[in-house]
Amino acid sequence: MRRFLKIFKVAFKSINKNRTRSLLTMLGIIIGVAAVIMTISAGEGATLQVENQISGLGTNLLMIQTKSEHKAGINVRMGRPIDEKDFDMLQKNSVWMPQLSPLVAIGAQAIGPSGYKSTMVYGVSYDYFYITSRAIESGSFFTEDDVRTAKKYCVIGETIREELFPGEDPIGQQIRIDKVPFTVIGLLTEEGSGGMQDMDDIIIAPYTTVQNRLYGHQRGYTMIMASALSEDHIADAEMEATELLRESHKIKDEDEDDFEIMTQIELQEITGNITGILTILLGAVASISLLVGGIGIMNIMLVSVTERTREIGTRLAIGARESDILTQFLIEAVVLSLVGGLLGVLFGIIGNQIIYKATSFYIPTAIYSILIGFGFAAFVGVTFGYFPARKAAKLNPIDALRYE
Amino acid sequence: MPLKKVIETKKLSRVFKNGEIEVHALTDVDMVIEEGEFVAIMGASGSGKSTLLHIIGCLDRATSGEYDLDGVRVNTLNKNQLADVRNQKIGFIFQSYNLLSRTTALENVELPLIYDRTGRFSNSKELAKKALEQVDLADRIYHKTNELSGGQQQRVAIARALVNNPALILADEPTGNLDSKASIDIADLFVQLNNKGKTIVMITHEPEIAQFAKRMLYLRDGRIISDKIIENRSTKAFAMKELEKPITP
Ligand SMILES: Nc1ncnc2c1ncn2[C@@H]1O[C@H](COP(=O)(O)OP(=O)(O)OP(=O)(O)O)[C@@H](O)[C@H]1O
Ligand SMILES: [Mg+2]
């Protein structure tokens, strides 16, 4: 035990005497570990966020749209537009979709008493609030009557309120959307800004009003949104909608649909794939940073091998045993990796926090990223700190002293 | 009264194999060095002086032959036992000092005591200070290696070789990197240590340094070709005077 303490002191002195080398070694480990933690956590954060956004889209959601095709990276609408006739037909005949709402989306400029903002205006029916399960903070939704009579009412999100009515109660106030005056009757409960898409940067108005006043002379809806009776019936609802629309569109058996239906489940699958790819990409970035950190450490170690081999030769010459040398270098490697690894974890977590503060993109620090980072630190430290020393300690003292 | 044999070798040989080429650095060296001797080894470059000293110092192993050090059959020992022999019985001094860089004189001298396994030293710091006093460096103990002159560094190395109170001091061209004055100081230091009873074996190229020893071995092509007692040994005072003599054309 006393011997071990002595060797421990030797190792610490050695770390301290070669401060530059020690710091550079640790720097490599710190960068590697921090990079791994930050990239893996970013992947986890993105996945979490996308999942939240999808489940936040609504309950048992179905979206019925005109068929579109990718052409040179652009979505081109192919079939006949989904319109009022389809909506009425579905509402009359559907068994599995108790809630249905048209959605007419346009980008518009909203002007309030003390500010303006470009935003998305969604024209919907009353059911929209149920389908998307959005709640009201103050004021109220518009009613089915308001929709039928195309009242110039709107419900706004928190982001819009901040821009148009800073520090004010917006309820009952007038705003202009593309020059058309609307009365604000409700304020949506904040969803929390979701990084990729701000769910509160939104104005909701009766679709009738939006179509008549803002939509110009375009035919049809952007989509029909529907809610299936329950999660188990999403597939039934999809089948039903397909059959009803094929029938009313008079599509022959051998022809394809001229519309497409996206369900929440499919959406989850697609985004699951995307975030999977994202995680793989970030993983690749992380491995590269590990490699870079590792090569940095390797360089420092190789450069110092000559000097250290002579040091080992000196120690052997004055009577150190091979095990004394190995203990010393193992302690040095472990201490450097441990301190570097801990600092790396610290910087990784701080980095995540900084990104969170700066972009409000929430990054949970994944525990397994800390484990991977630490494993890497230990591996690199021992591989590049210990094994060259082991080789040198096995030499004849005189060969170690003469090493060049 | 027969003196104790510190070194006894029988048919000691060392062959370096470098692929196809074999270098016979030492061939059948028989040698006895007794306690209290001060031996100078001379010989042309490449004659095997360092090879011999490394084997005596347990830094290298003989290819064949027998070697007893202080009554221990060294050529049968394993690695750890050899390390312990180096630690307990030998103080080795190199031409290039081989001190640890960025390390104080005191820490360098303490080093052999760190690896001591006999537990015979209780206060290593005190011992290291004493050893530094012996080599006249009491005022430099906290200086780092790079803050010392060549002669001072060699004296730190000598203190390091003395600190564990070894049976044998081995020095491979200890004055090879020093000027004449510093060389004489080191040689004189060896004489003083020898007077206190230390057995010393020293390689040198300089006849005037060899002249400080009691006995001289001469090597050629890995064999001892001459072994004689040195008459009219040099002293510090004499060597210094010689140094001041004007160079006669
Ligand atoms: N590691 C080695 N590998 C191969 N040959 C070696 C090795 N070490 C020494 N030799 C050879 O052994 C012979 C003796 O070398 P040694 O170093 O003992 O000479 P030396 O008498 O100390 O010379 P110098 O006075 O120049 O120091 C030389 O021919 C040298 O080339
Ligand atoms: Mg030599």
Side-chain angles (χ1 to χ4, degrees):
Chain A
M1 200 57 219
R2 252 175 65 82
R3 301 200 47 69
F4 185 77
L5 274 179
K6 276 190 194 168
I7 305 288
F8 203 80
K9 256 171 81 181
V10 169
F12 262 92
K13 274 187 190 164
S14 170
I15 289 173
N16 192 31
K17 290 212 172 83
N18 305 291
R19 228 164 282 149
T20 318
R21 183 175 69 212
S22 305
L23 283 177
L24 286 173
T25 311
M26 280 203 299
L27 200 66
I29 292 175
I30 290 169
I31 290 171
V33 172
V36 168
I37 288 176
M38 286 178 68
T39 41
I40 291 179
S41 300
E44 289 287 301
T47 309
L48 196 74
Q49 187 158 55
V50 169
E51 275 166 9
N52 280 345
Q53 259 177 1
I54 288 167
S55 59
L57 278 179
T59 36
N60 314 322
L61 185 70
L62 288 98
M63 291 180 283
I64 303 160
Q65 273 174 292
T66 309
K67 189 176 184 90
S68 60
E69 242 171 51
H70 273 293
K71 276 197 179 150
I74 313 164
N75 267 347
V76 182
R77 300 257 150 142
M78 297 294 289
R80 53 178 275 199
I82 296 289
D83 61 13
E84 208 177 331
K85 253 194 289 173
D86 295 320
F87 179 67
D88 289 342
M89 184 274 298
L90 286 172
Q91 204 161 38
K92 206 159 78 201
N93 298 315
S94 169
V95 180
W96 299 116
M97 294 179 288
Q99 280 83 28
L100 282 154
S101 166
L103 185 114
V104 188
I106 62 157
Q109 171 111 318
I111 305 171
S114 27
Y116 60 91
K117 181 150 192 357
S118 294
T119 185
M120 286 304 289
V121 179
Y122 287 170
V124 298
S125 76
Y126 179 79
D127 276 354
Y128 173 85
F129 297 104
Y130 177 82
I131 296 167
T132 61
S133 48
R134 288 218 69 161
I136 278 283
E137 181 74 24
S138 63
S140 63
F141 293 137
F142 40 82
T143 62
E144 283 178 64
D145 253 6
D146 296 336
V147 174
R148 202 168 44 244
T149 54
K151 284 262 167 48
K152 282 182 270 179
Y153 287 166
C154 70
V155 176
I156 63 174
E158 179 59 26
T159 307
I160 302 294
R161 189 200 64 73
E162 271 168 28
E163 293 290 330
L164 269 51
F165 306 99
E168 277 178 70
D169 180 9
I171 308 300
Q173 304 233 43
Q174 291 278 318
I175 62 169
R176 286 172 170 275
I177 303 172
D178 279 0
K179 302 198 181 115
V180 181
F182 278 76
T183 307
V184 179
I185 61 163
L187 176 67
L188 289 169
T189 304
E190 217 174 330
E191 287 262 288
S193 53
M196 302 196 182
Q197 194 189 340
D198 183 356
M199 306 290 270
D200 297 311
D201 185 2
I202 187 177
I203 295 177
I204 297 167
Y207 72 95
T208 44
T209 323
V210 173
Q211 259 195 323
N212 293 343
R213 298 290 181 151
L214 303 173
Y215 210 42
H217 298 290
Q218 286 184 57
R219 281 201 321 130
Y221 303 145
T222 309
M223 67 170 80
I224 292 172
M225 291 177 91
S227 185
L229 203 55
S230 77
E231 201 180 332
D232 296 338
H233 292 119
I234 293 176
D236 294 332
E238 186 178 5
M239 208 134 77
E240 180 189 60
T242 308
E243 271 166 25
L244 288 172
L245 283 168
R246 281 184 75 93
E247 199 179 320
S248 84
H249 286 191
K250 300 198 174 60
I251 297 169
K252 287 188 210 120
D253 281 355
E254 66 270 22
D255 286 344
E256 284 180 18
D257 299 345
D258 60 351
F259 55 89
E260 51 191 21
I261 301 175
M262 182 83 83
T263 70
Q264 202 154 8
I265 293 169
E266 287 160 353
L267 217 56
Q268 265 155 2
E269 280 166 6
I270 291 169
T271 49
N273 289 341
I274 294 171
T275 51
I277 292 168
L278 188 72
T279 308
I280 290 170
L281 276 177
L282 287 170
V285 172
S287 348
I288 289 171
S289 42
L290 282 190
L291 202 68
V292 170
I295 288 172
I297 294 166
M298 201 166 70
N299 264 329
I300 297 156
M301 290 299 182
L302 285 181
V303 167
S304 68
V305 143
T306 313
E307 190 194 332
R308 298 231 82 178
T309 303
R310 302 199 58 167
E311 178 196 326
I312 289 169
T314 304
R315 290 180 186 275
L316 289 172
I318 58 170
R321 287 189 184 181
E322 190 182 320
S323 60
D324 293 333
I325 307 282
L326 293 185
T327 312
Q328 177 196 336
F329 278 77
L330 194 61
I331 292 170
E332 280 186 41
V334 167
V335 167
L336 286 182
S337 326
L338 211 65
V339 175
L342 280 173
L343 285 175
V345 169
L346 195 72
F347 286 140
I349 293 172
I350 290 174
N352 283 347
Q353 289 301 313
I354 288 172
I355 292 177
Y356 179 38
K357 289 273 141 59
T359 67
S360 70
F361 172 45
Y362 174 64
I363 299 175
T365 301
I367 298 293
Y368 77 92
S369 72
I370 293 180
L371 294 180
I372 291 177
F374 240 98
F376 158 77
F379 173 76
V380 165
V382 170
T383 307
F384 298 128
Y386 177 72
F387 285 106
R390 203 173 88 120
K391 216 175 118 200
K394 284 195 182 301
L395 292 174
N396 252 347
I398 199 66
D399 293 330
L401 277 171
R402 278 188 180 149
Y403 185 86
E404 259 158 16
Chain B
M1 184 185 80
L3 280 169
K4 201 168 131 199
K5 290 174 188 167
V6 180
I7 296 171
E8 181 167 18
T9 70
K10 288 201 184 100
K11 291 200 167 301
L12 208 61
S13 295
R14 179 68 164 105
V15 182
F16 291 105
K17 281 207 186 79
N18 238 333
E20 297 285 284
I21 310 154
E22 281 192 359
V23 179
H24 291 261
L26 283 183
T27 312
D28 294 343
V29 173
D30 294 322
M31 166 175 85
V32 174
I33 293 175
E34 289 168 341
E35 200 170 21
E37 283 204 77
F38 181 4
V39 182
I41 299 180
M42 294 194 74
S45 186
S47 56
K49 305 182 295 294
S50 295
T51 306
L52 177 60
L53 206 70
H54 292 154
I55 292 171
I56 292 173
C58 301
L59 297 174
D60 194 7
R61 282 170 178 277
T63 313
S64 64
E66 283 170 12
Y67 169 31
D68 293 338
L69 168 67
D70 207 16
V72 180
R73 180 59 54 90
V74 169
N75 48 301
T76 60
L77 298 181
N78 68 24
K79 259 185 136 178
N80 282 343
Q81 290 168 322
L82 280 180
D84 293 349
V85 167
R86 287 195 296 273
N87 187 247
Q88 290 158 27
K89 295 188 187 292
I90 294 165
F92 208 105
I93 297 154
F94 301 89
Q95 178 177 353
S96 51
Y97 326 131
N98 284 331
L99 299 175
L100 294 189
S101 54
R102 294 178 282 263
T103 304
T104 62
L106 189 68
E107 286 171 322
N108 263 299
V109 175
E110 247 187 297
L111 217 51
L113 306 179
I114 288 175
Y115 298 113
D116 172 65
R117 282 167 201 270
T118 59
R120 59 195 163 132
F121 307 112
S122 53
N123 192 338
S124 55
K125 213 162 233 133
E126 278 311 306
L127 286 171
K129 274 185 191 164
K130 272 209 194 100
L132 280 163
E133 275 164 29
Q134 274 195 71
V135 298
D136 216 13
L137 275 180
D139 53 344
R140 293 283 190 280
I141 54 176
Y142 295 115
H143 284 234
K144 295 206 172 128
T145 312
N146 56 326
E147 299 160 357
L148 297 169
S149 73
Q152 289 169 334
Q153 288 189 47
Q154 192 58 295
R155 278 189 280 162
V156 172
I158 293 170
R160 183 179 68 187
L162 289 173
V163 74
N164 51 351
N165 194 27
L168 184 61
I169 293 204
L170 304 173
D172 190 350
E173 295 187 46
T175 61
N177 286 358
L178 305 177
D179 65 26
S180 310
K181 167 121 191 358
S183 298
I184 292 166
D185 283 339
I186 296 291
D188 182 54
L189 185 58
F190 281 139
V191 172
Q192 287 173 38
L193 292 171
N194 180 242
N195 289 343
K196 284 181 202 154
K198 288 268 173 247
T199 311
I200 300 174
V201 180
M202 169 183 78
I203 294 175
T204 181
H205 275 291
E206 299 152 84
E208 59 275 19
I209 297 299
Q211 207 63 26
F212 280 82
K214 290 175 176 166
R215 175 182 166 195
M216 190 170 81
L217 296 177
Y218 203 94
L219 256 67
R220 182 186 291 161
D221 296 334
R223 293 172 198 271
I224 296 176
I225 56 160
S226 127
D227 180 355
K228 60 175 191 240
I229 304 295
I230 294 172
E231 325 224 313
N232 53 54
R233 291 174 67 197
S234 182
T235 61
K236 184 174 175 181
F238 172 78
M240 284 299 192
K241 223 191 271 155
E242 285 291 299
L243 209 57
E244 274 151 31
K245 265 191 190 161
I247 300 154
T248 42

